Amino acid sequence: FKPILMFYPEGKAMNSFSHDDVRGYIQHRVEQGIVNATINKELSVLSSAIKWCNSNTDLELPNPIGGKRLAEEEKEARCLSVGEFHKLLDAAKFSEAGHNQNKYTRQYLPEFLILGFTTMMRPNEMLKLEWNRVDFAKRTVELRIQDTKGKQRRLVPLNDDAMAALKRLRRLCDNNFKDTPWVFTHTKPRFFGKRIVSVAKVFQAAVERAGIDHATPHSLRHTSITEGVHVDGANVVDISKVAGHKNLQTTMRYVHTAGERLQDVVANLP
């Protein structure tokens, strides 16, 4: 909300808020180099504030934001190669001497990477995961309807690497805050015991240390699904179920055939 407050003069009468006011704000943010998606989010915040005022007071403020949102470029999350993933994992485990941020980050970021790579879970599904939904005996994680983007309950199977990562996180919790319900919990004194809400900054720092091209936390899921589809004997229907997709078309959009696989295809032509 801060950019909005900084742009409009203090004391502006909202009952005269106009289409030109909205266009002026959009132009201002575009000239600042802000991407369309961010501008749209800011417009949505402003629109929601106006709607709230109209619903909870006797005011009837104009809401000229409708139809002003900008076109957003759809960018797919980049699919990592297996080699890039291991570089990223090594970078997440790295800790510079005297660098406290890295010291705390490496207590959970490697496990986040491993779970993302092996379970096809979304970043938020992992960060909101509670210990009572982790079943070590059955080697599954339960995602409830309220936990998933598709609003469908699903059981996520855990392989050996995922199990080992979760056991390391469990030990971390046992040694620091046994009663925490969260799988991903801060150990940094300032946020001690609180749920980790975002890994965007520490993930980006690891990407830079690894020396790989741009990637986001969602790239882990993208890579996991892509690699899963190309496993010998893999069933796309099963992959779709584990990923939580409602239809196969969504799963197929995640599939990127790696260059070396294309070479193998043409090499085997008669």
Side-chain angles (χ1 to χ4, degrees), residues 120 224-232 234-236 239 251-252 255:
M120 305 181 193
S224 180
I225 296 172
T226 302
E227 290 299 321
V229 169
H230 289 95
V231 169
D232 288 341
N235 185 316
V236 178
I239 298 295
T251 307
M252 296 309 296
V255 177

Side-chain angles (χ1 to χ4, degrees), residues 236-238 240-241 245-253:
V236 178
V237 175
D238 292 337
S240 185
K241 185 175 181 181
H245 291 155
K246 291 184 177 180
N247 59 67
L248 291 178
Q249 288 182 336
T250 303
T251 307
M252 296 309 296
R253 284 203 298 269

Side-chain angles (χ1 to χ4, degrees), residues 53-270:
C53 286
N54 288 340
S55 297
N56 293 275
T57 69
D58 294 329
L59 297 174
E60 293 183 4
L61 301 177
N63 191 350
I65 294 170
K68 302 292 192 307
R69 289 173 177 81
L70 305 176
E72 296 182 25
E73 180 183 355
E74 282 193 26
K75 290 186 178 180
E76 293 180 330
R78 192 171 77 84
C79 180
L80 304 175
S81 69
V82 174
E84 286 178 318
F85 170 75
H86 285 294
K87 284 183 179 180
L88 185 59
L89 184 58
D90 288 342
K93 294 176 180 178
F94 173 76
S95 179
E96 290 183 74
H99 198 304
N100 285 337
Q101 180 63 44
N102 289 354
K103 180 178 72 173
Y104 297 116
T105 297
R106 67 190 179 97
Q107 292 180 325
Y108 66 84
L109 187 58
E111 282 65 38
F112 178 87
L113 299 180
I114 292 168
L115 285 178
F117 184 72
T118 61
T119 66
M120 305 181 193
M121 284 194 286
R122 296 177 177 89
N124 274 345
E125 291 172 345
M126 291 188 284
L127 292 177
K128 292 180 179 179
L129 184 60
E130 299 156 295
W131 283 116
N132 61 9
R133 294 189 281 116
V134 177
D135 191 326
F136 285 107
K138 294 181 180 179
R139 298 170 66 99
T140 59
V141 161
E142 178 192 10
L143 296 179
R144 304 162 302 183
I145 291 175
Q146 63 266 38
D147 303 317
T148 65
K149 181 180 177 181
K151 302 304 177 185
Q152 289 183 324
R153 178 185 178 272
R154 73 182 194 269
L155 287 177
V156 179
L158 303 171
N159 68 9
D160 289 344
D161 289 339
M163 286 284 289
L166 283 168
K167 287 178 179 178
R168 285 193 294 272
L169 289 170
R170 182 65 263 180
R171 285 196 298 271
L172 181 69
C173 289
D174 287 342
N175 292 336
N176 290 278
F177 21 72
K178 263 188 174 179
D179 296 332
T180 182
W182 307 110
V183 171
F184 286 97
T185 313
H186 281 287
T187 58
K188 193 174 183 178
R190 183 180 172 189
F191 305 106
F192 198 76
K194 295 182 179 179
R195 179 175 75 85
I196 296 170
V197 177
S198 172
V199 296
K201 290 184 178 179
V202 295
F203 187 94
Q204 183 57 37
V207 168
E208 293 173 3
R209 286 198 300 273
I212 63 177
D213 290 339
H214 172 72
T216 67
H218 192 72
S219 297
L220 299 171
R221 170 176 164 86
H222 194 88
T223 304
S224 180
I225 296 172
T226 302
E227 290 299 321
V229 169
H230 289 95
V231 169
D232 288 341
N235 185 316
V236 178
V237 175
D238 292 337
I239 298 295
S240 185
K241 185 175 181 181
V242 173
H245 291 155
K246 291 184 177 180
N247 59 67
L248 291 178
Q249 288 182 336
T250 303
T251 307
M252 296 309 296
R253 284 203 298 269
Y254 272 76
V255 177
H256 285 241
T257 304
E260 58 269 23
R261 293 194 179 107
L262 292 175
Q263 293 294 329
D264 290 341
V265 170
V266 296
N268 292 327
L269 291 174

